[in-house]
Amino acid sequence: MSLLDIDERILDVAALADIVKCPIVDGKDLPEVDITLVEGSVTSDEHYHEILHIRKQSKAVVALGDCAVMTNITGMRNYFNLKDVVDTAYVDAISNDKSGNIPNDPALLKLNEKVVPLQEVIDVDFVIPGCPPDADTIFYVLFEFLNDRIPNLSEVKKLKYG
Amino acid sequence: MNKIHVTINDKACEVEMNLSILEACKSLDIEIITMCHLDCITDVGACRLCLVEIEGINKLLPACTTKVADNMIIYTQTEKLKRYQRITTELFFAERNHVCSVCVANGKCELQKLGYKVELDHIRYPYLFPQCDVDTSHPWYVLDHNRCIMCTRCVRVCAEVEGAYNWGVMNRGSQVRIISDFNTPWGDSTTCTTCGKCVHACPTGAIWPKAIVQGQLDKKPEMINELVRKRKMKL
């Protein structure tokens, strides 16, 4: 949702492109698109299938933010076994109900053993690191792409992590 | 003063004898990227970022530990070197757990600045995600192995400037770790004088004062240089 940080400039983007899908707009399937901005890393089976689908439907995939590019905070559970991580939340935490039950509803996503950044699963065409990614940088990248130019973050001194 | 002739990046230059290539380039305002180098303490060639090409030698040599010689032909800016610098930087990020957004050094980190300089936007290698300890036993400072890049600036500054020899290095490869005394908690150290020079020498958020929160760290590694000069003046 960092896209919304570009504020009123989203109107300039809308003048050049149709925004066809967005997590808060609708739950429809992703149609064939030119550019997809993907936030977050691949942490579960659902994410894995979703990112493969996104890759198939998009001409260009842009990894947006440190989580998508280098796993960031979501990857901090990779230092431990998945079981230890889940137990910490649902079994050992002082705040839980002492039942020790781990939620396993079929509607819930199944966590993968390790969290990986997008580029370990699919080919990513462009990355915008940053936590949060800078609004000016997001607009710059979109504007360059929509005007048929290839952006270059280090050339315009817009590289940033953290 | 004895001067010798060297050619750096196709430019004929005259430099003093007995300088390292790094020092010679510095005197000529030629920039070389470094991470483990700190003015006034011994160079060890740990980070491999200052590698240069020298004509007639078929391997890359670190500028900080190689002395200039008469008629040496040196290249510091070739495409090959740039590619190696980027690879080295990526391996720093992939080897341990550098989570910039929760780091005390965020925005003031030499590793971040290095990344921007070598135009690093993502890491092409699989992350190792090792489980690293954080030593909070010292009353004032924290040692976080997750953020350590093994430049050993803390080890050298503690030995050479403070003379305390608290820090050391153990193991090899990805298991390599900075240790206090004989791998005991920093807080139990009998050699540490709590002077804080290692805190300022550390280029990342691996050693930091407890009184600091995320992104607030402000290190002054140039202070070490000043201290050495002042102490030598007194001697």
Side-chain angles (χ1 to χ4, degrees):
Chain A
M1 293 326 293
S2 288
L3 176 64
L4 295 180
D5 289 346
I6 67 174
D7 298 332
E8 75 281 1
R9 283 174 292 182
I10 201 159
L11 298 175
D12 299 332
V13 173
L16 292 166
D18 299 320
I19 300 171
V20 294
K21 186 177 157 73
C22 167
I24 60 159
V25 175
D26 52 46
K28 274 191 268 163
D29 229 21
L30 183 72
E32 281 191 19
V33 293
D34 292 321
I35 305 171
T36 314
L37 302 178
V38 185
E39 285 180 331
S41 43
V42 180
T43 69
S44 63
D45 57 342
E46 193 180 311
H47 293 162
Y48 182 76
H49 295 300
E50 206 174 346
I51 194 65
L52 291 183
H53 182 65
I54 287 170
R55 179 66 270 183
K56 215 169 81 189
Q57 299 293 81
S58 323
K59 283 183 193 147
V61 173
V62 178
L64 178 61
D66 272 355
C67 290
V69 181
M70 39 189 89
T71 72
N72 200 19
I73 295 169
T74 59
M76 290 177 89
R77 77 161 161 87
N78 285 356
Y79 322 151
F80 312 99
N81 291 327
L82 179 60
K83 188 182 178 305
D84 293 343
V85 174
V86 175
D87 282 356
T88 302
Y90 295 106
V91 181
D92 305 329
I94 303 162
S95 57
N96 71 16
D97 64 0
K98 305 274 185 285
S99 70
N101 289 335
I102 294 165
N104 59 354
D105 193 281
L108 295 172
L109 39 76
K110 283 190 180 56
L111 294 178
N112 289 342
E113 190 64 36
K114 296 286 175 205
V115 177
V116 292
L118 300 189
Q119 69 264 17
E120 281 194 31
V121 183
I122 57 159
D123 288 334
V124 176
D125 299 290
F126 199 81
V127 298
I128 309 176
C131 182
D134 185 64
D136 290 341
T137 310
I138 297 170
F139 181 71
Y140 159 76
V141 171
L142 279 179
F143 204 72
E144 293 297 290
F145 271 131
L146 294 174
N147 286 295
D148 298 326
R149 293 187 295 261
I150 306 279
N152 186 332
L153 292 185
S154 50
E155 201 174 277
V156 293
K157 302 250 179 293
K158 283 186 187 294
L159 265 180
K160 178 181 91 86
Y161 340 116
Chain B
M1 195 64 76
N2 286 329
K3 295 252 183 184
I4 54 170
H5 295 276
V6 291
T7 309
I8 304 177
N9 299 337
D10 294 324
K11 224 177 102 190
C13 316
E14 208 174 54
V15 294
E16 278 172 38
M17 267 178 83
N18 285 326
L19 291 184
S20 68
I21 295 175
L22 182 66
E23 288 165 327
C25 287
K26 202 166 262 180
S27 71
L28 297 162
D29 278 334
I30 297 166
E31 197 195 5
I32 292 185
I33 300 175
T34 62
M35 210 53 185
C36 69
H37 169 82
L38 201 58
D39 284 345
C40 288
I41 59 171
T42 315
D43 284 310
V44 290
C47 70
R48 315 312 280 181
L49 280 163
C50 69
L51 291 178
V52 291
E53 286 190 64
I54 300 168
E55 226 170 79
I57 297 174
N58 63 3
K59 60 177 185 178
L60 305 175
L61 290 177
C64 63
T65 56
T66 311
K67 293 255 188 273
V68 283
D70 208 10
N71 296 322
M72 212 179 223
I73 300 169
I74 305 161
Y75 296 95
T76 68
Q77 293 284 339
T78 61
E79 285 308 310
K80 182 182 179 182
L81 291 173
K82 281 184 187 163
R83 196 164 61 82
Y84 274 65
Q85 283 165 353
R86 166 146 184 182
I87 291 171
T88 306
T89 311
E90 281 179 69
L91 293 174
F92 279 144
F93 276 96
E95 186 174 349
R96 298 209 188 170
N97 309 311
H98 297 278
V99 186
C100 298
S101 54
V102 296
C103 181
V104 284
N106 189 8
K108 309 231 169 89
C109 173
E110 286 185 39
L111 185 58
Q112 275 180 326
K113 285 178 194 151
L114 170 69
Y116 304 151
K117 193 159 260 176
V118 300
E119 305 184 1
L120 172 81
D121 54 2
H122 71 287
I123 285 92
R124 293 168 293 180
Y125 307 106
Y127 290 85
L128 291 186
F129 293 119
Q131 198 172 346
C132 296
D133 294 333
V134 181
D135 185 345
T136 57
S137 59
H138 192 280
W140 295 358
Y141 309 124
V142 179
L143 168 64
D144 186 346
H145 291 287
N146 290 290
R147 301 162 180 166
C148 176
I149 58 162
M150 294 308 300
C151 67
T152 68
R153 270 156 58 160
C154 55
V155 179
R156 285 172 284 147
V157 86
C158 186
E160 293 171 17
V161 185
E162 179 63 10
Y165 294 87
N166 174 59
W167 295 120
V169 179
M170 75 167 183
N171 295 345
R172 296 176 73 85
S174 63
Q175 296 301 311
V176 69
R177 292 287 183 276
I178 293 289
I179 51 167
S180 168
D181 283 346
F182 289 112
N183 194 21
T184 44
W186 189 2
D188 297 343
S189 170
T190 53
T191 50
C192 177
T193 60
T194 315
C195 71
K197 287 183 195 69
C198 53
V199 180
H200 285 284
C202 174
T204 67
I207 308 181
W208 49 281
K210 284 183 177 172
I212 292 293
V213 292
Q214 194 266 4
Q216 297 296 305
L217 194 63
D218 198 8
K219 294 191 177 186
K220 297 181 178 64
E222 65 282 359
M223 170 271 274
I224 310 286
N225 183 5
E226 200 183 321
L227 207 56
V228 171
R229 277 192 294 115
K230 281 176 181 165
R231 288 188 176 181
K232 277 191 181 149
M233 275 160 74
K234 268 188 187 170
L235 283 171

